[in-house]
Amino acid sequence: MENGAVGDTDSADEKKLDVQQNVASSFDLPEGPTKDLFLLPIPVHLRYHSDRPPAFGVWMNIWIGVAASFLISNLYYSQPLLIQMADTFDVSYEAVSNIPTLIQAGYAVGMFFICPLGDLVRRRQLILLLVFTTATLTIGLAITRNLIAFQILNFLIGLGNMSPQILAPLAADLAGPEHRGFAYSIVLTGMLSGALIARVLAGVMGEFLSWRVVYYLAIGAQYAILLLCYWVLPDYPSKNKSLTYRTVLWTMIKFALTEPLVVQVELMTLATSACFSSYWVTLTFLLGGPPYNYSTLLIGLFGLLGLGGIAMGPFAGRLLDHIPPWHGILVSTLLLLLFQAVQTAAAGLNISAVIIACIGLDAVRQIQNVSIATKVFSVDIQAISRLNSLYVLSFYGGQLMGTSVGTKVFVEHGWRACAALGMALYGAQIMIVLLRGPHCARQTWFGYEGGIGMKRRS
């Protein structure tokens, strides 16, 4: 009798608990913060709940790619406008030539000190703050009459323009390992498109309108992206609540020096970025001199051939979601070596060789980029922003090296020696990737444990 009474009581308590839970869930009590930056309410549908986090789908992935495209453009608006800027500020070309360098220098500093915050704080709030900062600083670019102030603002905008490099690993993180390559490739395609469109748009507008109009347009675009981020970008918890900022920077240095795969990726990225920048810088010299003697306009149109390469990004990402990235790196690097050989053999003899090399190098390089990024992200998903920082810093280091060394070799030894240097660097990359197989353990520096099978294991 007592047992029956106890059983009835337990059953009643369980029903009461169920009712309380249903009531609580009906009020949709949030687990995460309800405000952005302690001021703005987060839209209810974007707030984080552990039992049903905001979904990440293809459309959100595309939107992040579009946002990254407009935001990365901040780094490139000034490049076609330097002559008009020199006239406006009444200074020499040499005085304005450091403006692109300053914004890129700020970007490099931000990659090391700001981008790793994506592994420490809530990324929605960080992105909103960064976009608001760069949009507001751009107002200064549009109205200032002082060259020194203009230069300082460019450095600060480069420093704060980290939102694209936080959006890219965010998309790869939220997509999960089975779709990470495709998700990253969409954002990468957006960033590459943004760099190209920014140069073309700024050049055309600078030719027919004041260069300041370009920056007014940039202000409007950034504030529009800010509003879009507010209404579309979901909130997610910070990834490493136990870490401090100092620890985040220290672990990034450790990754750069002690992780076999990261070191391998850094070396490959330095080399491939050097090849790419050397190719495009010296291509201008090649086409502008004999036997072609093309005009600046015709040389500029060769940049449009890169659109085909940009379009390859999503297809590469979809393929790399089904095979180990190691195979994508190896095959793409072999193809890059092949197209560079075409450049070395006949670029100064027939324009068809230049066109074939240009299209092939651009297209295959996107496969290599996505492969390398997907591989390095696999080291530690909790450190994805730090890993992305190291990858991008290696990329920019390679650009600086390729621009300076490639130009020197071209001027002193001609186009064929410069193209052959690219072949040597691609050959070095093949040797680097062959040092360790696709399925090696994380701390393995050399070897092929696990074989070389094309079945993806992570």
Side-chain angles (χ1 to χ4, degrees), residues 7 36 50 54 83 90-91 116 140 199 211 242 313 319 342 352 444-445 448:
D36 284 323
S50 60
I83 295 176
D90 194 23
V91 296
R199 292 189 185 101
W211 62 265
S242 61
L319 172 65
V342 173
S352 62
T444 299
W445 285 92
Y448 282 80

Side-chain angles (χ1 to χ4, degrees), residues 233-398:
L233 191 64
D235 189 32
Y236 290 90
S238 54
K239 294 170 66 67
N240 300 282
K241 296 181 180 179
S242 61
L243 296 182
T244 64
Y245 179 63
R246 179 184 296 180
T247 306
V248 166
L249 293 182
W250 171 241
T251 54
M252 188 166 74
I253 294 172
K254 287 180 64 178
F255 277 129
L257 300 176
T258 65
E259 286 282 344
L261 178 55
V262 176
V263 173
Q264 185 184 44
V265 163
E266 288 169 340
L267 293 174
M268 287 203 64
T269 304
L270 276 169
T272 193
S273 180
C275 290
F276 184 74
S277 60
S278 173
Y279 175 81
W280 280 104
V281 169
T282 59
L283 182 65
T284 300
F285 304 146
L286 173 66
L287 297 178
Y292 304 117
N293 299 309
Y294 287 168
S295 67
T296 302
L297 177 61
L298 282 175
I299 295 172
L301 291 176
F302 271 78
L304 298 178
L305 295 175
L307 288 174
I310 292 173
M312 281 293 296
F315 295 102
R318 182 65 75 188
L319 172 65
L320 293 167
D321 283 331
H322 301 286
I323 64 172
W326 183 90
H327 293 88
I329 296 172
L330 179 60
V331 172
S332 61
T333 309
L334 287 168
L335 289 173
L336 287 169
L337 178 61
L338 175 63
F339 284 111
Q340 189 68 25
V342 173
Q343 177 80 358
T344 304
L349 306 177
N350 193 295
I351 194 61
S352 62
V354 179
I355 294 172
I356 291 170
C358 185
I359 294 174
L361 290 171
D362 259 320
V364 178
R365 187 169 179 272
Q366 301 317 311
I367 301 175
Q368 189 194 51
N369 280 342
V370 177
S371 302
I372 289 175
T374 305
K375 187 67 174 173
V376 77
F377 290 163
S378 68
V379 171
D380 185 353
I381 196 62
Q382 297 301 316
I384 193 168
S385 289
R386 283 164 283 175
L387 295 168
N388 185 64
S389 293
L390 294 172
Y391 169 59
V392 176
L393 285 170
S394 300
F395 177 87
Y396 274 89

Side-chain angles (χ1 to χ4, degrees), residues 395-408:
F395 177 87
Y396 274 89
Q399 276 197 331
L400 292 173
M401 181 175 70
T403 300
S404 58
V405 176
T407 301
K408 183 176 178 62

